Amino acid sequence: MLIGAAFCQEMARQRMTMSAASSPFSQQMARNFSVLSEEKRCMKDHNRRQMAAKFEVKRRLYKALVRDPELPNDLKEKYRYKLAKLPRNSAFTRIRNRCILTGRPRAVYQLFRMSRICFRELASKGALMGIKKASW
């Protein structure tokens, strides 16, 4: 117990000296953390896409049966329950389009699967085939 408390105090002391010094090492750690969090978000989105593809047929079938006006209510309730029991990440509404280069969730062109910022940079460099800047 004493070793654990001493270790925690030592780590807190080091953290305070690192933040006070604002060393490049701490900045590098912060950058690495943000990169890892972006990768994690992209991986979560990728897993959601796979689950959505896996459960697509079941989800559509249950939805069609629930909406059928000729089925009795008890059967509809049964299929509504089955639909609710499917994993939440298997719904297509939980999928978020992200940039394949940066993981940015907003302003993503579906055709290129990249954000407007990356698209503009690559187009300016001439890295995208068939894309050129329009000028008057």
Side-chain angles (χ1 to χ4, degrees):
M1 185 73 176
L2 185 61
I3 294 171
F7 178 74
C8 290
Q9 288 174 350
E10 180 65 24
M11 289 301 291
R13 188 183 61 76
Q14 286 179 359
R15 201 174 294 142
M16 288 183 70
T17 57
M18 276 180 48
S19 64
S22 181
S23 68
F25 178 72
S26 63
Q27 293 172 353
Q28 181 66 28
M29 282 178 45
R31 253 187 249 116
N32 286 343
F33 178 74
S34 67
V35 168
L36 288 175
S37 63
E38 282 295 326
E39 287 179 8
K40 185 178 177 183
R41 284 189 209 117
C42 289
M43 288 301 298
K44 283 175 76 172
D45 189 59
H46 178 70
N47 290 340
R48 284 180 179 155
R49 286 179 189 274
Q50 285 182 335
M51 284 191 75
K54 181 180 175 183
F55 287 99
E56 179 182 11
V57 176
K58 275 187 182 181
R59 186 172 285 278
R60 286 191 181 195
L61 176 70
Y62 292 157
K63 277 189 174 185
L65 290 171
V66 166
R67 290 182 185 151
D68 188 8
E70 296 183 12
L71 280 178
N73 283 338
D74 58 338
L75 220 55
K76 284 184 186 181
E77 285 297 321
K78 176 183 158 189
Y79 288 118
R80 193 173 292 125
Y81 178 76
K82 284 186 177 185
L83 183 63
K85 282 298 175 185
L86 289 177
R88 286 189 178 192
N89 283 339
S90 68
F92 278 101
T93 55
R94 290 178 68 103
I95 292 175
R96 179 80 175 169
N97 288 334
R98 290 189 173 271
C99 176
I100 57 174
L101 302 175
T102 60
R104 181 181 165 88
R106 296 183 180 191
V108 175
Y109 295 129
Q110 283 187 348
L111 183 63
F112 299 99
R113 289 188 61 200
M114 63 179 68
S115 67
R116 61 181 175 82
I117 300 164
C118 295
F119 178 81
R120 184 174 179 196
E121 287 176 4
L122 292 175
S124 297
K125 292 177 186 174
L128 298 175
M129 302 243 330
I131 304 294
K132 66 177 185 179
K133 186 173 184 275
S135 54
W136 312 108

